[in-house]
Amino acid sequence: MTATAEKMTVLASKIEAVLPGLVSRAPSLPDELCYEVEPANIKQVCLALRDTPELKFEILIDLAGLDYLDYGNTEWKTYSATATGFSRGVNRSNVRVPHDGARFAVAYHLLSVTNNQRLRIRSRCVDAEDPMIDSVVDIWAGANWFEREAFDLYGILFSGHPDLRRILTDYGFIGHPFRKDFPLIGNVEVRYDADKQRVVYEPVSIEARTLVPRVIRDDRRYDAALKTQAPK
């Protein structure tokens, strides 16, 4: 066992001893540690991670929304397309579902300065129509703008947030642009109207089209075997 893996094992044993039955180990890289947390338990878990002396995750580095719609599905097989070609059409089914039933989630990236340790926890929102989870602003004040960003881009509601409003999109913006079902071309476009002397909003004028993927081929320009060949 490497030193990093041993460190992760020790940290995992501490977390599971402090939070028995409240966290479940999630797949992660060998030098990372990730746990799944039920949304009903998120505040209890976060408080314990922050206040338990042997853990002391004092800092929330980042909080991000996740949309698992179409997760793991692919419409193009680019590696085989070189030999067999591909169609410009996409046979997309009418039903689009997340990979395991829970569409939206929130990921929390934590740092313990005291113990020089990092941790990621993830909590999945139960309702896909109106995803909601408790705010952790009262635990880590830095979560304020992170949660506003997740609300703006994904439409995730944070119960108890003191000022939950958009932070990146414009006033009056409709929809949440990081959702997988949000149109790539958007819904409206913005331009300055010289006659009206103001910015105007209009329906998007870009025509919807099927995107053709870039076919990936092996780049052999720098292959060592080629350098030994005599020039023609």
Side-chain angles (χ1 to χ4, degrees), residues 99-232:
H99 69 300
D100 59 1
R103 176 175 175 181
F104 294 102
V106 180
Y108 306 78
H109 298 263
L110 310 179
L111 170 66
S112 171
V113 177
T114 302
N115 300 316
N116 190 25
Q117 294 174 330
R118 296 175 184 267
L119 175 69
R120 180 171 64 253
I121 59 176
R122 181 177 59 191
S123 187
R124 299 175 182 271
C125 304
V126 177
D127 190 350
E129 295 298 325
D130 295 305
M132 180 178 292
I133 194 169
D134 287 333
S135 171
V136 294
V137 170
D138 55 342
I139 302 175
W140 297 290
N144 192 315
W145 282 16
F146 291 148
E147 291 182 349
R148 285 179 59 188
E149 182 181 32
F151 162 69
D152 190 359
L153 301 180
Y154 291 94
I156 299 174
L157 302 171
F158 292 87
S159 176
H161 191 285
D163 185 25
L164 191 62
R165 54 193 170 95
R166 294 185 182 271
I167 192 173
L168 293 176
T169 56
D170 200 1
Y171 300 104
F173 189 90
I174 299 174
H176 304 282
F178 275 19
R179 288 191 173 190
K180 296 292 179 63
D181 51 6
F182 189 86
L184 292 178
I185 61 176
N187 294 312
V188 298
E189 59 186 27
V190 183
R191 68 176 179 85
Y192 179 77
D193 190 304
D195 295 331
K196 297 180 180 180
Q197 295 187 349
R198 65 179 177 86
V199 173
V200 296
Y201 293 81
E202 299 174 336
V204 65
S205 60
I206 302 174
E207 295 183 2
R209 55 190 169 87
T210 300
L211 298 179
V212 178
R214 179 181 178 183
V215 178
I216 302 173
R217 297 182 175 87
D218 292 332
D219 187 354
R220 304 192 61 187
R221 290 176 295 170
Y222 307 104
D223 194 322
L226 296 178
K227 295 182 180 180
T228 60
Q229 296 180 3
K232 295 182 180 179

Side-chain angles (χ1 to χ4, degrees), residues 12-39:
S13 63
K14 292 179 181 178
I15 292 173
E16 291 165 12
V18 172
L19 299 166
L22 295 177
V23 295
S24 59
R25 189 80 174 265
S28 60
L29 297 175
D31 58 345
E32 296 179 352
L33 190 59
C34 180
Y35 282 97
E36 291 272 7
V37 180
E38 291 296 323

